Amino acid sequence: MPVQSPAGGHLDPRLLHAFLAVAEELHFTRAAARLYVAQQALSRDVRRLERELGAQLFSRTTRQVTLTADGERLLPYARRVLAAHEALLSAFARGQEQRPLLVDVNTPGLATGRVLDRARELAPDFELMARFESGLTGAAQDLLTGRLDASFGRFAGLDPALRARLEQQPVRYEPMAVLLPEDHPLAALEAVPLAALAGETVYAGAGNPRTLEWTDLAHHLFEGRGIALAPPAPMAVGAEEFRRIMAKNRNPVLAVVEFPAMPETVLRPLVDPVPLSPLSLVWRKGLVHPGIDALRRAAVELAAEEGWLHRPENGWIPATDALIMMSHT
């Protein structure tokens, strides 16, 4: 529910939330922790609000943060606007906070499951239920129709029209890997240089309409490196079917470093450069539920503890993905 700004645009309520947190904490680090965002993103939102209003709201020194006269003047208005905004959302979410929250974590054993486990610890009074279905493209439609509440994946791989109706929070830059038959020549390496895949045909979900964002990421990665994308094929379901297909086709499979073990295969990290899969928590706009708050906080805590949002110097990521991830961290 944006409001008109003096410059003729609209004020995003997120900017007012950023202002209010800093105004009440008078400390950017504490305010960022309160909002579950990085300090850099919080500072960026405050600067944007100052540009929108044409006023300096805070006086900053190395030792303290104080409100300016304009900041003091804005404070009661910000509180009233945000109170009205929350009241509007609450009016249409009555009874929703008590229902179970359905979260798609894609595959057991990944970072997504750790975020869900931490969220359950943070919100023990609420039911957060997991489902295991691959692909953010497929999950996005379920999010919009209310059949699903939250999912994880590569947000930049969604159609812009879908992204406009969803919210996202970066979780991790996941290092990518390749799954190989255990007797494949590259299986003897501890890590596989991307150049070593030249001439190989690598499976990356082509033909699966639920994982278009993953296939698109592989296309960007393989382009110009002499790596062929395996043609469309039905997705193998179950360990035995996966083993049979791998034994028959012998195509390496693009994965992430925490992909669960599969029979008669080895998982090797990719290097030179290290390709990164951008992982975000995704939910539909306007959804109000303590479970979403717990998931967001869990993602922030684990990212800080594990360095999940640190990009290695030799990391590779498409430019569009980098912009989307950085704009929210």
Side-chain angles (χ1 to χ4, degrees), residues 296-328:
R296 296 186 66 189
R297 181 178 167 191
V300 169
E301 289 184 0
L302 286 167
E305 294 168 11
E306 306 287 341
W308 282 355
L309 289 174
H310 171 72
R311 282 179 59 184
E313 291 184 4
N314 62 340
W316 171 93
I317 187 173
T320 301
D321 293 77
L323 287 172
I324 286 178
M325 294 287 281
M326 290 177 64
S327 68
H328 289 77

mmCIF file of all heavy atoms in Angstrom, residues 296-328:
data_model
loop_
_atom_site.group_PDB
_atom_site.id
_atom_site.type_symbol
_atom_site.label_atom_id
_atom_site.label_comp_id
_atom_site.label_asym_id
_atom_site.label_seq_id
_atom_site.Cartn_x
_atom_site.Cartn_y
_atom_site.Cartn_z
ATOM 1 N N ARG A 296 12.365 -16.273 7.840
ATOM 2 C CA ARG A 296 13.251 -15.169 7.476
ATOM 3 C C ARG A 296 14.357 -14.995 8.513
ATOM 4 O O ARG A 296 15.528 -14.810 8.169
ATOM 5 C CB ARG A 296 12.449 -13.877 7.329
ATOM 6 C CG ARG A 296 11.419 -13.912 6.199
ATOM 7 C CD ARG A 296 10.757 -12.556 6.019
ATOM 8 N NE ARG A 296 11.727 -11.572 5.554
ATOM 9 C CZ ARG A 296 11.496 -10.278 5.463
ATOM 10 N NH1 ARG A 296 10.325 -9.795 5.827
ATOM 11 N NH2 ARG A 296 12.417 -9.453 5.021
ATOM 12 N N ARG A 297 13.967 -15.063 9.771
ATOM 13 C CA ARG A 297 14.975 -14.921 10.824
ATOM 14 C C ARG A 297 15.955 -16.091 10.791
ATOM 15 O O ARG A 297 17.161 -15.903 10.966
ATOM 16 C CB ARG A 297 14.282 -14.854 12.189
ATOM 17 C CG ARG A 297 15.240 -14.684 13.362
ATOM 18 C CD ARG A 297 14.483 -14.573 14.658
ATOM 19 N NE ARG A 297 15.365 -14.716 15.809
ATOM 20 C CZ ARG A 297 14.962 -14.868 17.050
ATOM 21 N NH1 ARG A 297 13.663 -14.880 17.313
ATOM 22 N NH2 ARG A 297 15.816 -14.999 18.036
ATOM 23 N N ALA A 298 15.441 -17.300 10.566
ATOM 24 C CA ALA A 298 16.311 -18.481 10.490
ATOM 25 C C ALA A 298 17.320 -18.346 9.360
ATOM 26 O O ALA A 298 18.504 -18.689 9.515
ATOM 27 C CB ALA A 298 15.462 -19.736 10.295
ATOM 28 N N ALA A 299 16.865 -17.849 8.205
ATOM 29 C CA ALA A 299 17.768 -17.672 7.064
ATOM 30 C C ALA A 299 18.869 -16.675 7.381
ATOM 31 O O ALA A 299 20.040 -16.885 7.034
ATOM 32 C CB ALA A 299 16.974 -17.232 5.835
ATOM 33 N N VAL A 300 18.509 -15.572 8.050
ATOM 34 C CA VAL A 300 19.504 -14.560 8.411
ATOM 35 C C VAL A 300 20.522 -15.145 9.394
ATOM 36 O O VAL A 300 21.738 -14.957 9.245
ATOM 37 C CB VAL A 300 18.819 -13.322 9.014
ATOM 38 C CG1 VAL A 300 19.841 -12.383 9.646
ATOM 39 C CG2 VAL A 300 18.034 -12.582 7.940
ATOM 40 N N GLU A 301 20.039 -15.864 10.399
ATOM 41 C CA GLU A 301 20.941 -16.420 11.405
ATOM 42 C C GLU A 301 21.916 -17.419 10.791
ATOM 43 O O GLU A 301 23.126 -17.370 11.046
ATOM 44 C CB GLU A 301 20.127 -17.096 12.513
ATOM 45 C CG GLU A 301 19.383 -16.130 13.415
ATOM 46 C CD GLU A 301 18.664 -16.842 14.554
ATOM 47 O OE1 GLU A 301 18.757 -18.096 14.626
ATOM 48 O OE2 GLU A 301 18.027 -16.152 15.369
ATOM 49 N N LEU A 302 21.397 -18.338 9.981
ATOM 50 C CA LEU A 302 22.267 -19.355 9.389
ATOM 51 C C LEU A 302 23.243 -18.754 8.383
ATOM 52 O O LEU A 302 24.401 -19.178 8.307
ATOM 53 C CB LEU A 302 21.418 -20.437 8.722
ATOM 54 C CG LEU A 302 20.725 -21.391 9.693
ATOM 55 C CD1 LEU A 302 19.667 -22.218 8.976
ATOM 56 C CD2 LEU A 302 21.744 -22.311 10.348
ATOM 57 N N ALA A 303 22.784 -17.764 7.625
ATOM 58 C CA ALA A 303 23.692 -17.102 6.676
ATOM 59 C C ALA A 303 24.849 -16.447 7.408
ATOM 60 O O ALA A 303 25.998 -16.497 6.965
ATOM 61 C CB ALA A 303 22.931 -16.074 5.841
ATOM 62 N N ALA A 304 24.553 -15.823 8.557
ATOM 63 C CA ALA A 304 25.608 -15.183 9.343
ATOM 64 C C ALA A 304 26.551 -16.216 9.957
ATOM 65 O O ALA A 304 27.775 -16.042 9.958
ATOM 66 C CB ALA A 304 24.989 -14.317 10.436
ATOM 67 N N GLU A 305 25.998 -17.299 10.466
ATOM 68 C CA GLU A 305 26.811 -18.323 11.119
ATOM 69 C C GLU A 305 27.677 -19.100 10.132
ATOM 70 O O GLU A 305 28.819 -19.450 10.440
ATOM 71 C CB GLU A 305 25.908 -19.305 11.876
ATOM 72 C CG GLU A 305 25.174 -18.701 13.052
ATOM 73 C CD GLU A 305 24.076 -19.609 13.584
ATOM 74 O OE1 GLU A 305 24.047 -20.794 13.160
ATOM 75 O OE2 GLU A 305 23.268 -19.157 14.415
ATOM 76 N N GLU A 306 27.134 -19.372 8.943
ATOM 77 C CA GLU A 306 27.810 -20.239 7.981
ATOM 78 C C GLU A 306 28.469 -19.475 6.830
ATOM 79 O O GLU A 306 29.121 -20.086 5.992
ATOM 80 C CB GLU A 306 26.800 -21.236 7.395
ATOM 81 C CG GLU A 306 26.043 -22.047 8.431
ATOM 82 C CD GLU A 306 26.907 -23.113 9.077
ATOM 83 O OE1 GLU A 306 27.946 -23.453 8.493
ATOM 84 O OE2 GLU A 306 26.537 -23.593 10.167
ATOM 85 N N GLY A 307 28.300 -18.157 6.781
ATOM 86 C CA GLY A 307 28.874 -17.398 5.670
ATOM 87 C C GLY A 307 28.199 -17.686 4.343
ATOM 88 O O GLY A 307 28.830 -17.584 3.286
ATOM 89 N N TRP A 308 26.914 -17.994 4.383
ATOM 90 C CA TRP A 308 26.213 -18.392 3.169
ATOM 91 C C TRP A 308 26.116 -17.286 2.125
ATOM 92 O O TRP A 308 25.959 -17.563 0.932
ATOM 93 C CB TRP A 308 24.800 -18.856 3.518
ATOM 94 C CG TRP A 308 24.748 -20.236 4.082
ATOM 95 C CD1 TRP A 308 25.771 -21.123 4.223
ATOM 96 C CD2 TRP A 308 23.575 -20.900 4.588
ATOM 97 N NE1 TRP A 308 25.327 -22.292 4.780
ATOM 98 C CE2 TRP A 308 23.980 -22.181 5.010
ATOM 99 C CE3 TRP A 308 22.235 -20.530 4.721
ATOM 100 C CZ2 TRP A 308 23.086 -23.109 5.553
ATOM 101 C CZ3 TRP A 308 21.342 -21.445 5.256
ATOM 102 C CH2 TRP A 308 21.764 -22.719 5.672
ATOM 103 N N LEU A 309 26.134 -16.031 2.541
ATOM 104 C CA LEU A 309 25.985 -14.932 1.585
ATOM 105 C C LEU A 309 27.322 -14.278 1.254
ATOM 106 O O LEU A 309 27.362 -13.178 0.698
ATOM 107 C CB LEU A 309 24.985 -13.902 2.104
ATOM 108 C CG LEU A 309 23.528 -14.386 2.105
ATOM 109 C CD1 LEU A 309 22.610 -13.378 2.774
ATOM 110 C CD2 LEU A 309 23.052 -14.679 0.687
ATOM 111 N N HIS A 310 28.408 -14.961 1.570
ATOM 112 C CA HIS A 310 29.734 -14.488 1.168
ATOM 113 C C HIS A 310 30.061 -15.070 -0.206
ATOM 114 O O HIS A 310 30.050 -16.289 -0.386
ATOM 115 C CB HIS A 310 30.795 -14.923 2.175
ATOM 116 C CG HIS A 310 32.198 -14.662 1.703
ATOM 117 N ND1 HIS A 310 32.724 -13.383 1.634
ATOM 118 C CD2 HIS A 310 33.160 -15.513 1.248
ATOM 119 C CE1 HIS A 310 33.955 -13.456 1.173
ATOM 120 N NE2 HIS A 310 34.246 -14.727 0.931
ATOM 121 N N ARG A 311 30.325 -14.201 -1.162
ATOM 122 C CA ARG A 311 30.689 -14.663 -2.506
ATOM 123 C C ARG A 311 32.197 -14.831 -2.609
ATOM 124 O O ARG A 311 32.949 -13.873 -2.397
ATOM 125 C CB ARG A 311 30.222 -13.662 -3.561
ATOM 126 C CG ARG A 311 28.751 -13.745 -3.888
ATOM 127 C CD ARG A 311 28.359 -12.714 -4.932
ATOM 128 N NE ARG A 311 29.103 -12.886 -6.170
ATOM 129 C CZ ARG A 311 29.010 -12.067 -7.217
ATOM 130 N NH1 ARG A 311 28.212 -11.015 -7.158
ATOM 131 N NH2 ARG A 311 29.711 -12.288 -8.299
ATOM 132 N N PRO A 312 32.672 -16.032 -2.929
ATOM 133 C CA PRO A 312 34.116 -16.218 -3.100
ATOM 134 C C PRO A 312 34.638 -15.391 -4.267
ATOM 135 O O PRO A 312 33.909 -15.112 -5.231
ATOM 136 C CB PRO A 312 34.251 -17.723 -3.381
ATOM 137 C CG PRO A 312 32.905 -18.156 -3.849
ATOM 138 C CD PRO A 312 31.907 -17.264 -3.159
ATOM 139 N N GLU A 313 35.887 -14.996 -4.183
ATOM 140 C CA GLU A 313 36.475 -14.145 -5.228
ATOM 141 C C GLU A 313 36.427 -14.812 -6.596
ATOM 142 O O GLU A 313 36.304 -14.148 -7.617
ATOM 143 C CB GLU A 313 37.916 -13.785 -4.866
ATOM 144 C CG GLU A 313 38.031 -12.839 -3.671
ATOM 145 C CD GLU A 313 39.459 -12.429 -3.409
ATOM 146 O OE1 GLU A 313 40.346 -12.825 -4.199
ATOM 147 O OE2 GLU A 313 39.713 -11.723 -2.417
ATOM 148 N N ASN A 314 36.557 -16.131 -6.618
ATOM 149 C CA ASN A 314 36.534 -16.846 -7.892
ATOM 150 C C ASN A 314 35.157 -17.421 -8.199
ATOM 151 O O ASN A 314 35.016 -18.367 -8.966
ATOM 152 C CB ASN A 314 37.570 -17.974 -7.888
ATOM 153 C CG ASN A 314 37.277 -19.021 -6.822
ATOM 154 O OD1 ASN A 314 36.545 -18.761 -5.862
ATOM 155 N ND2 ASN A 314 37.848 -20.208 -6.978
ATOM 156 N N GLY A 315 34.116 -16.852 -7.580
ATOM 157 C CA GLY A 315 32.764 -17.339 -7.815
ATOM 158 C C GLY A 315 32.170 -16.802 -9.105
ATOM 159 O O GLY A 315 32.475 -15.684 -9.537
ATOM 160 N N TRP A 316 31.314 -17.597 -9.726
ATOM 161 C CA TRP A 316 30.616 -17.210 -10.956
ATOM 162 C C TRP A 316 29.124 -17.170 -10.673
ATOM 163 O O TRP A 316 28.573 -18.064 -10.019
ATOM 164 C CB TRP A 316 30.888 -18.225 -12.059
ATOM 165 C CG TRP A 316 30.034 -18.018 -13.292
ATOM 166 C CD1 TRP A 316 30.356 -17.298 -14.405
ATOM 167 C CD2 TRP A 316 28.708 -18.536 -13.515
ATOM 168 N NE1 TRP A 316 29.303 -17.330 -15.301
ATOM 169 C CE2 TRP A 316 28.285 -18.072 -14.781
ATOM 170 C CE3 TRP A 316 27.844 -19.323 -12.745
ATOM 171 C CZ2 TRP A 316 27.034 -18.389 -15.302
ATOM 172 C CZ3 TRP A 316 26.585 -19.629 -13.275
ATOM 173 C CH2 TRP A 316 26.198 -19.170 -14.544
ATOM 174 N N ILE A 317 28.456 -16.138 -11.180
ATOM 175 C CA ILE A 317 27.006 -16.021 -11.062
ATOM 176 C C ILE A 317 26.533 -15.089 -12.170
ATOM 177 O O ILE A 317 27.215 -14.109 -12.498
ATOM 178 C CB ILE A 317 26.604 -15.487 -9.663
ATOM 179 C CG1 ILE A 317 25.086 -15.515 -9.479
ATOM 180 C CG2 ILE A 317 27.135 -14.100 -9.409
ATOM 181 C CD1 ILE A 317 24.640 -15.164 -8.070
ATOM 182 N N PRO A 318 25.403 -15.352 -12.805
ATOM 183 C CA PRO A 318 24.903 -14.432 -13.830
ATOM 184 C C PRO A 318 24.674 -13.043 -13.250
ATOM 185 O O PRO A 318 24.298 -12.888 -12.084
ATOM 186 C CB PRO A 318 23.579 -15.078 -14.275
ATOM 187 C CG PRO A 318 23.726 -16.524 -13.945
ATOM 188 C CD PRO A 318 24.548 -16.564 -12.689
ATOM 189 N N ALA A 319 24.886 -12.026 -14.068
ATOM 190 C CA ALA A 319 24.789 -10.642 -13.601
ATOM 191 C C ALA A 319 23.406 -10.323 -13.055
ATOM 192 O O ALA A 319 23.275 -9.637 -12.026
ATOM 193 C CB ALA A 319 25.139 -9.687 -14.741
ATOM 194 N N THR A 320 22.343 -10.810 -13.698
ATOM 195 C CA THR A 320 20.989 -10.536 -13.224
ATOM 196 C C THR A 320 20.766 -11.120 -11.844
ATOM 197 O O THR A 320 20.175 -10.484 -10.962
ATOM 198 C CB THR A 320 19.945 -11.100 -14.202
ATOM 199 O OG1 THR A 320 20.138 -10.508 -15.489
ATOM 200 C CG2 THR A 320 18.531 -10.812 -13.734
ATOM 201 N N ASP A 321 21.249 -12.331 -11.633
ATOM 202 C CA ASP A 321 21.110 -12.964 -10.316
ATOM 203 C C ASP A 321 21.864 -12.165 -9.251
ATOM 204 O O ASP A 321 21.373 -11.991 -8.130
ATOM 205 C CB ASP A 321 21.663 -14.388 -10.369
ATOM 206 C CG ASP A 321 20.838 -15.300 -11.235
ATOM 207 O OD1 ASP A 321 20.944 -15.214 -12.475
ATOM 208 O OD2 ASP A 321 20.058 -16.108 -10.693
ATOM 209 N N ALA A 322 23.067 -11.718 -9.596
ATOM 210 C CA ALA A 322 23.870 -10.961 -8.641
ATOM 211 C C ALA A 322 23.153 -9.686 -8.208
ATOM 212 O O ALA A 322 23.138 -9.333 -7.026
ATOM 213 C CB ALA A 322 25.235 -10.633 -9.234
ATOM 214 N N LEU A 323 22.531 -9.004 -9.160
ATOM 215 C CA LEU A 323 21.819 -7.764 -8.841
ATOM 216 C C LEU A 323 20.636 -8.022 -7.916
ATOM 217 O O LEU A 323 20.397 -7.292 -6.964
ATOM 218 C CB LEU A 323 21.341 -7.085 -10.133
ATOM 219 C CG LEU A 323 22.421 -6.412 -10.974
ATOM 220 C CD1 LEU A 323 21.838 -5.957 -12.307
ATOM 221 C CD2 LEU A 323 23.049 -5.244 -10.232
ATOM 222 N N ILE A 324 19.880 -9.083 -8.202
ATOM 223 C CA ILE A 324 18.707 -9.403 -7.377
ATOM 224 C C ILE A 324 19.140 -9.790 -5.973
ATOM 225 O O ILE A 324 18.550 -9.354 -4.978
ATOM 226 C CB ILE A 324 17.879 -10.522 -8.038
ATOM 227 C CG1 ILE A 324 17.118 -9.944 -9.233
ATOM 228 C CG2 ILE A 324 16.920 -11.142 -7.040
ATOM 229 C CD1 ILE A 324 16.301 -10.944 -9.999
ATOM 230 N N MET A 325 20.193 -10.590 -5.868
ATOM 231 C CA MET A 325 20.655 -11.013 -4.545
ATOM 232 C C MET A 325 21.196 -9.813 -3.755
ATOM 233 O O MET A 325 20.908 -9.666 -2.569
ATOM 234 C CB MET A 325 21.729 -12.087 -4.681
ATOM 235 C CG MET A 325 21.250 -13.400 -5.276
ATOM 236 S SD MET A 325 20.223 -14.401 -4.153
ATOM 237 C CE MET A 325 21.499 -15.128 -3.115
ATOM 238 N N MET A 326 21.959 -8.970 -4.397
ATOM 239 C CA MET A 326 22.569 -7.832 -3.700
ATOM 240 C C MET A 326 21.537 -6.780 -3.320
ATOM 241 O O MET A 326 21.719 -6.052 -2.335
ATOM 242 C CB MET A 326 23.662 -7.222 -4.561
ATOM 243 C CG MET A 326 24.901 -8.098 -4.722
ATOM 244 S SD MET A 326 26.118 -7.362 -5.830
ATOM 245 C CE MET A 326 26.551 -5.887 -4.909
ATOM 246 N N SER A 327 20.468 -6.671 -4.079
ATOM 247 C CA SER A 327 19.471 -5.636 -3.795
ATOM 248 C C SER A 327 18.668 -5.928 -2.543
ATOM 249 O O SER A 327 17.972 -5.065 -2.030
ATOM 250 C CB SER A 327 18.511 -5.478 -4.979
ATOM 251 O OG SER A 327 17.694 -6.629 -5.117
ATOM 252 N N HIS A 328 18.793 -7.142 -2.010
ATOM 253 C CA HIS A 328 18.031 -7.500 -0.820
ATOM 254 C C HIS A 328 18.920 -7.973 0.318
ATOM 255 O O HIS A 328 18.449 -8.570 1.274
ATOM 256 C CB HIS A 328 17.030 -8.614 -1.149
ATOM 257 C CG HIS A 328 15.893 -8.157 -2.009
ATOM 258 N ND1 HIS A 328 16.029 -7.958 -3.361
ATOM 259 C CD2 HIS A 328 14.617 -7.824 -1.698
ATOM 260 C CE1 HIS A 328 14.860 -7.558 -3.853
ATOM 261 N NE2 HIS A 328 14.005 -7.467 -2.879
#
